[in-house]
Amino acid sequence: MTVVRNPIIPGCFPDPTICRVGEEYFLVTSTFEYQPGLPIQRSRDLVSWELIGHAIDRPGMLDMDGMASSSGLFAPTLRFHDGMFWLVCTLVDQQDASRGGNFLLTATDAAGPWSDPIWLEVDGIDPSIFFDDDGRIWMHGTRLASDPEWFHQTEVWLRELDRETMAFVGEEHILWHGAVIGAVWAEGPHLYKIDGTYYLLASEGGTEFHHALSVARADTVTGPYIGNKANPVLTHRQLGHGADLVGVGHADLVQAVDGSWWSVLLAMRPYGGYHYNLGREVFLVPVSWEEGWPVFAPGLGRVPREVDVPFASRQTLGVMQGAASGTIRSDDPRWTSLRVQPEQIAEREGDGWVMPLSPATLSDATVTAFLGVRQQHRDVDVVATLSCDLVEGEEIGLVVRQSELDHVRMSMSSSPTGIRIVATHRQAGVDARLGEIWLDGVVSDALELSVRAREQDYELSAARPGDESYVVAVADGRTLDSVATGGFLGVWFGVFGTSNGAPTQSRLRVQSFDYTPR
Ligand code: 6LW
């Protein structure tokens, strides 16, 4: 027995999609307003994952400027066919439906380079792509039903894609509205052909508490698709809000090298009440086949916290799977920025960064001077060593971020009487002061800002390196998760610098950034 812990990838990595190429597995997740976008992770045992690149990793691939938080890159699908990786995804602007759309990228190496986006003439979200064994390519996805019978009824559509022109051909087919009458958001569809039968896997109920996984099958790709009598085949919604895992859904299937079947899916781990600050994380579930239907977590019917993965490498056990730990150097692929690539707003300098301050602030849904990483552990210490020759009106600092509307930021500014450090809680777009301290000196000397997260307490403090540290405020994390704020994301820790609207020449030096799980 080789027992591994779920989640296999902690932190905000929603909507996992997976494919296998030979002995390697590749997995991609949604990234919304963060860039680089669509992280590509690779594994040889489904358990230990390495971030090898991002599909959206160069300036100009997508225009996300002005897109509010939880807009941006939604659920992708990754497949390998004919010597090539195919990735389909949606760029969503929740405020302006005329922007974005569904697109396709290809690459011969999953680590990149990926092609520029090829835009597809179809609305909706959650595109997926299926390569039939007769050579035909079928795109599918979900969108609000054109003639709905209930609120937020959606339809899963299917249409053939021409390999040469990458354009749709033939008529469209509607395959599925969900397994349950009244089901909202039948989404995240994926088609497979297994032993001559076509299977449609889809989630429904919305990607929160009522999320559920259903399956249907057909003899021909265009249907009709008949739902499994056991639908929904996997959900935790019957367990109530006190369950250790909630929101199970958005699954993809993969057959391992040894012939066994597995599903990756998302779920959330609430703590400190019904709040899941780490966002939607990636879980691994064994799948068996009975009477022509997949059975998820056979004999259990729930997402297990421990999974026996017989082929998992023993070396990876006990290692923090897929997680950040220690100093995060500037060449680490886990760094993200908002709406543009990190290289567009900052320069690497040794292990750290130099980031020009931005007139835009963290409260603006635009490009701003921000660099951050996901919170992947409930209990963690984050310490940033920052310095800057600040001009009056400018601030640099550390933020615990959900969005431009909801975050807790600790800002330093300079004055003739010393350094002022203020903690501000922005909630639903309204700022409130949480705490304030003053230190002697100027900010051009390095200062350490830290967040000590223990369950839902986020303690913010400041210190001169090697000196006593002063607590500025303790924020309640229950105000920062998507249960409290809406949206699709988990919490990020980041550094920022703003001139609050004024022209600026100032540059923030991020000398170091440590992330240490406790
Ligand atoms: C995604 C949808 C969903 O497009 O949430 O979990 C949406 N499912 O399929 C955003 O992640």
Side-chain angles (χ1 to χ4, degrees):
M1 287 248 298
T2 313
V3 174
V4 303
R5 294 278 303 159
N6 254 330
I8 49 167
I9 305 177
C12 179
F13 291 97
D15 310 321
T17 174
I18 191 168
C19 72
R20 178 170 69 84
V21 183
E23 301 205 331
E24 294 183 322
Y25 304 88
F26 297 88
L27 183 147
V28 185
T29 44
S30 310
T31 41
F32 303 93
E33 74 267 31
Y34 291 97
Q35 291 215 38
L38 307 180
I40 318 280
Q41 309 204 50
R42 182 180 59 196
S43 174
R44 294 183 73 86
D45 63 2
L46 286 174
V47 174
S48 129
W49 293 89
E50 181 195 2
L51 180 55
I52 58 166
H54 289 81
I56 305 296
D57 68 350
R58 346 177 255 279
M61 288 181 87
L62 295 173
D63 176 13
M64 287 170 47
D65 195 8
M67 288 193 181
S69 181
S70 283
S71 286
L73 291 164
F74 275 37
T77 298
L78 179 70
R79 296 291 181 257
F80 185 81
H81 174 74
D82 222 359
M84 217 161 64
F85 289 93
W86 301 63
L87 187 58
V88 287
C89 190
T90 320
L91 179 68
V92 178
D93 186 334
Q94 301 207 55
Q95 276 71 37
D96 178 358
S98 71
R99 292 182 74 187
N102 289 290
F103 62 87
L104 166 69
L105 303 171
T106 58
T108 48
D109 183 344
W114 286 82
S115 71
D116 281 328
I118 300 163
W119 294 93
L120 302 167
E121 292 284 315
V122 67
D123 292 338
I125 58 167
D126 298 3
S128 187
I129 189 164
F130 165 66
F131 299 89
D132 207 345
D133 43 25
D134 60 4
R136 296 171 82 180
I137 304 176
W138 296 91
M139 291 276 311
H140 40 298
T142 196
R143 63 177 176 223
L144 286 168
S146 48
D147 190 12
E149 292 164 63
W150 57 80
F151 181 65
H152 278 174
Q153 185 192 26
T154 55
E155 56 195 21
V156 172
W157 58 269
L158 173 83
R159 204 170 167 200
E160 189 174 0
L161 191 74
D162 182 78
R163 174 76 171 84
E164 298 313 313
T165 60
M166 296 285 197
F168 288 111
V169 288
E171 60 179 302
E172 188 181 79
H173 305 264
I174 300 300
L175 306 186
W176 189 244
H177 295 280
V180 172
I181 294 173
V184 299
W185 293 103
E187 63 190 12
H190 294 303
L191 281 175
Y192 314 85
K193 189 176 191 179
I194 299 164
D195 290 339
T197 298
Y198 296 90
Y199 290 88
L200 173 67
L201 191 61
S203 294
E204 63 191 58
T207 188
E208 291 97 15
F209 181 73
H210 294 104
H211 219 191
L213 193 62
S214 285
V215 60
R217 69 183 184 196
D219 295 330
T220 53
V221 68
T222 53
Y225 281 82
I226 309 299
N228 186 346
K229 287 179 185 156
N231 279 335
V233 287
L234 188 67
T235 178
H236 280 202
R237 63 188 174 196
Q238 76 284 7
L239 300 174
H241 284 77
D244 63 339
L245 299 179
V246 298
V248 167
H250 205 110
D252 201 359
L253 281 175
V254 69
Q255 188 173 24
V257 182
D258 71 353
S260 58
W261 284 85
W262 300 86
S263 176
V264 288
L265 48 76
L266 71 78
M268 299 83 90
R269 290 183 284 170
Y271 58 93
Y274 189 70
H275 294 281
Y276 36 81
N277 298 44
L278 307 186
R280 296 177 291 161
E281 309 178 276
V282 183
F283 292 77
L284 182 68
V285 174
V287 174
S288 67
W289 290 84
E290 288 180 20
E291 296 173 358
W293 289 106
V295 179
F296 293 79
L300 183 65
R302 294 175 55 175
V303 176
R305 292 308 297 274
E306 295 193 329
V307 200
D308 180 18
V309 184
F311 48 81
S313 143
R314 293 208 167 260
Q315 283 106 346
T316 66
L317 299 179
V319 173
M320 197 65 76
Q321 297 151 11
S325 181
T327 298
I328 304 185
R329 290 193 289 272
S330 54
D331 62 358
D332 193 300
R334 286 169 297 194
W335 280 109
T336 58
S337 44
L338 293 168
R339 305 175 180 94
V340 290
Q341 301 292 332
E343 297 74 18
Q344 291 173 271
I345 54 147
E347 267 174 52
R348 296 184 168 87
E349 188 186 66
D351 288 347
W353 292 94
V354 176
M355 179 161 66
L357 268 57
S358 163
T361 73
L362 287 176
S363 303
D364 299 316
T366 183
V367 176
T368 184
F370 166 93
L371 286 166
V373 300
R374 293 163 178 84
Q375 179 177 2
Q376 295 186 277
H377 304 84
R378 195 185 65 176
D379 296 342
V380 56
D381 293 342
V382 175
V383 184
T385 307
L386 308 178
S387 66
C388 183
D389 287 316
L390 285 173
V391 172
E392 202 186 324
E394 298 181 341
E395 351 171 346
I396 59 170
L398 186 58
V399 61
V400 185
R401 182 181 193 271
Q402 165 64 230
S403 68
E404 52 274 356
L405 297 177
D406 291 274
H407 54 248
V408 173
R409 59 182 193 267
M410 180 166 46
S411 316
M412 300 194 285
S413 55
S414 247
S415 90
T417 46
I419 305 164
R420 181 171 173 238
I421 303 174
V422 178
T424 305
H425 189 174
R426 185 170 178 81
Q427 231 181 323
V430 179
D431 282 353
R433 179 161 315 170
L434 277 186
E436 175 173 342
I437 64 163
W438 288 78
L439 293 178
D440 292 337
V442 287
V443 185
S444 50
D445 310 331
L447 283 179
E448 273 178 15
L449 295 187
S450 55
V451 183
R452 187 173 176 273
R454 295 293 181 274
E455 293 229 351
Q456 293 293 4
D457 287 342
Y458 290 70
E459 184 186 272
L460 310 170
S461 48
R464 304 190 166 291
D467 234 9
E468 191 180 346
S469 140
Y470 298 91
V471 174
V472 183
V474 180
D476 184 354
R478 294 172 190 85
T479 59
L480 289 171
D481 81 318
S482 63
V483 175
T485 66
F488 290 125
L489 287 152
V491 164
W492 253 248
F493 296 114
V495 292
F496 67 93
T498 177
S499 59
N500 286 305
T504 176
Q505 302 290 321
S506 302
R507 292 146 74 85
L508 163 62
R509 286 206 139 65
V510 185
Q511 298 181 5
S512 66
F513 190 94
D514 295 341
Y515 177 106
T516 314
R518 296 298 178 190

